[in-house]
């Protein structure tokens, strides 16, 4: 693989898509069937979803309307995340709701698309849509900008450390 | 991280009560007087006032008295928490994909070395 292609694999694209959407695009050096499995097989999910923390997959009902619930044991405490599946189209698309126990009622819709890039690579396009207080949109957007810029800076630093 | 946690924790204490969560939902649709809220939640004025005070202390709700009517609206705190949550969520998502990348690399290596 050429150096430039290798760089492209690792590059993450993060863009805000309107005021209430976060879009992340990444290409992984793995075939689509494996990436799909990493999202849908509880044993595999437990190995990465917790970001290095212990993760208990309490539920992963892979069907429309099915309930998923993961509990992450991180240094700052135990955090439960859960939601329902809205669409499951193997191995192309997963749509689910996402809620954190700490922010009950703040439902995010996650839309994850798996695309083949050649035979051995996979592009994931993750679109997360937030519902937020309507009449305060303007204020929310202006506050978000700062938070997002901080996140971009952190991401840049992270990418710089990758070989 | 610590800053977010402290800020979120104190507001979660205020949110631990179902009536108070209901009041926030109600105010999310528009401002309301204490007596409107008492009627909606079938509670006494004193009972509702207590809940509103807890929400006001954590800046989730602001109130303003005009004449004899005290009007309640959503406070600035709720927005700060929303912003904190969105930023936190995005960081988690990025970290999650970083770990997925590492996991896939690990798995691929294993597959190649397995007979």
């Amino acid at each position: 693989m050429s150096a430039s292609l290798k760089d492209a694999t690792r590059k993450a694209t993060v863009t805000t898509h309107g005021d209430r959407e976060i879009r992340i695009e990444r290409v992984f050096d793995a075939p689509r069937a494996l990436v799909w499995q990493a999202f849908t097989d509880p044993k595999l999910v437990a190995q990465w979803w917790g970001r290095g923390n212990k993760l208990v997959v309490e539920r992963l009902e892979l069907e429309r309307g099915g309930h998923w619930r993961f509990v992450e044991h991180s240094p700052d405490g135990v955090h439960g995340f859960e939601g329902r599946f809205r669409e499951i189209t193997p191995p192309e698309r997963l749509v689910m709701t996402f809620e954190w126990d700490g922010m009950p009622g703040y439902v995010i819709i996650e839309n994850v698309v798996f695309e083949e890039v050649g035979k051995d690579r996979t592009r994931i396009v993750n679109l997360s849509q937030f519902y937020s207080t309507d009449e305060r949109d303007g204020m929310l957007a202006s506050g978000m900008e700062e938070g997002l810029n901080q996140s971009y800076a952190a991401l840049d630093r992270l990418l710089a450390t990758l070989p | 991280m610590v800053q977010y946690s402290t800020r979120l924790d104190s507001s979660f204490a205020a949110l631990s009560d179902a009536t108070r969560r209901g009041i926030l939902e109600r105010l999310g649709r528009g401002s309301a007087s204490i007596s409107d809220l008492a009627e909606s939640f079938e509670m006494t004025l004193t009972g509702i006032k207590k809940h509103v005070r807890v929400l006001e202390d954590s800046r989730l709700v602001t109130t303003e008295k005009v004449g004899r009517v005290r009007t309640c609206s959503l406070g600035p705190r709720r927005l700060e928490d929303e912003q904190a949550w969105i930023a936190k969520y995005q960081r988690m998502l990025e970290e999650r994909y970083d770990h997925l990348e590492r996991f896939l690399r690990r798995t691929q290596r294993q597959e190649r070395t397995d007979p």
Side-chain angles (χ1 to χ4, degrees):
Chain A
M1 191 185 292
S2 76
S4 64
L5 196 57
K6 214 170 171 184
D7 286 345
T9 337
R10 300 225 169 100
K11 197 160 281 174
T13 317
V14 186
T15 47
T16 44
H17 212 71
D19 287 348
R20 0 169 128 198
E21 293 180 2
I22 289 174
R23 188 178 189 275
I24 292 184
E25 193 179 313
R26 286 206 188 184
V27 177
F28 298 98
D29 265 324
R32 182 162 69 167
L34 177 62
V35 181
W36 175 265
Q37 220 186 334
F39 272 79
T40 52
D41 179 335
K43 282 202 287 288
L44 302 194
V45 171
Q47 294 184 56
W48 63 272
W49 205 93
R51 306 173 291 155
N53 299 314
K54 181 189 165 193
L55 187 85
V56 179
V57 177
E58 287 189 353
R59 276 169 179 243
L60 185 49
E61 299 166 358
L62 211 62
E63 58 190 21
R64 200 181 151 118
H67 185 184
W68 66 270
R69 180 169 171 84
F70 305 159
V71 178
E72 187 178 331
H73 296 251
S74 67
D76 71 343
V78 177
H79 299 283
F81 302 90
E82 66 179 345
R84 297 270 178 172
F85 287 105
R86 289 167 62 130
E87 189 188 326
I88 295 166
T89 311
E92 294 164 12
R93 182 193 287 269
L94 272 179
V95 184
M96 60 258 184
T97 62
F98 178 105
E99 257 184 279
W100 170 41
D101 290 352
M103 278 305 263
Y106 286 75
V107 180
I108 299 165
I109 310 281
E110 289 190 341
N111 189 322
V112 189
V113 175
F114 304 75
E115 291 170 4
E116 279 187 315
V117 181
K119 235 178 65 188
D120 298 321
R121 298 197 302 152
T122 309
R123 176 184 296 114
I124 283 189
V125 181
N126 180 127
L127 188 66
S128 300
Q129 297 173 293
F130 292 81
Y131 174 80
S132 66
T133 323
D134 260 342
E135 65 273 24
R136 311 288 179 102
D137 260 358
M139 280 173 68
L140 185 60
S142 64
M144 246 179 84
E145 208 172 332
E146 197 188 340
L148 290 179
N149 284 337
Q150 285 166 1
S151 297
Y152 289 149
L155 182 62
D156 283 342
R157 282 196 298 277
L158 175 74
L159 289 173
T161 63
L162 290 177
Chain B
M1 193 67 189
V2 173
Q3 205 183 356
Y4 284 140
S5 303
T6 319
R7 201 161 71 182
L8 292 173
D9 281 351
S10 69
S11 104
F12 292 152
L15 288 170
S16 63
D17 180 273
T19 306
R20 291 199 285 270
R21 288 197 298 272
I23 292 174
L24 286 178
E25 262 168 54
R26 168 68 188 78
L27 296 178
R29 296 197 295 271
S31 302
S33 68
I34 295 280
S35 43
D36 288 341
L37 292 175
E39 201 176 308
S40 303
F41 292 89
E42 294 178 352
M43 286 183 76
T44 60
L45 288 175
T46 322
I48 279 291
K49 273 182 196 158
K50 260 186 216 161
H51 284 303
V52 168
R53 194 166 311 131
V54 174
L55 291 168
E56 210 177 355
D57 287 347
S58 55
R59 294 171 56 225
L60 289 161
V61 161
T62 53
T63 70
E64 192 188 9
K65 194 165 186 179
V66 179
R68 292 176 58 188
V69 181
R70 182 170 288 277
T71 304
C72 312
S73 326
L74 288 184
R77 178 58 163 281
R78 199 173 122 121
L79 288 163
E80 290 167 17
D81 287 345
E82 268 181 36
Q83 289 159 18
W85 168 224
I86 290 173
K88 185 179 171 149
Y89 170 84
Q90 179 167 7
R91 253 197 332 270
M92 283 196 309
L93 201 59
E94 287 162 3
E95 284 172 14
R96 210 162 275 147
Y97 279 117
D98 291 340
H99 281 270
L100 174 62
E101 185 167 39
R102 280 176 227 169
F103 166 73
L104 290 170
R105 238 184 257 161
R106 231 170 30 232
T107 309
Q108 297 273 86
R109 253 204 312 274
Q110 264 167 21
E111 263 177 23
R112 274 197 290 273
T113 52
D114 281 349

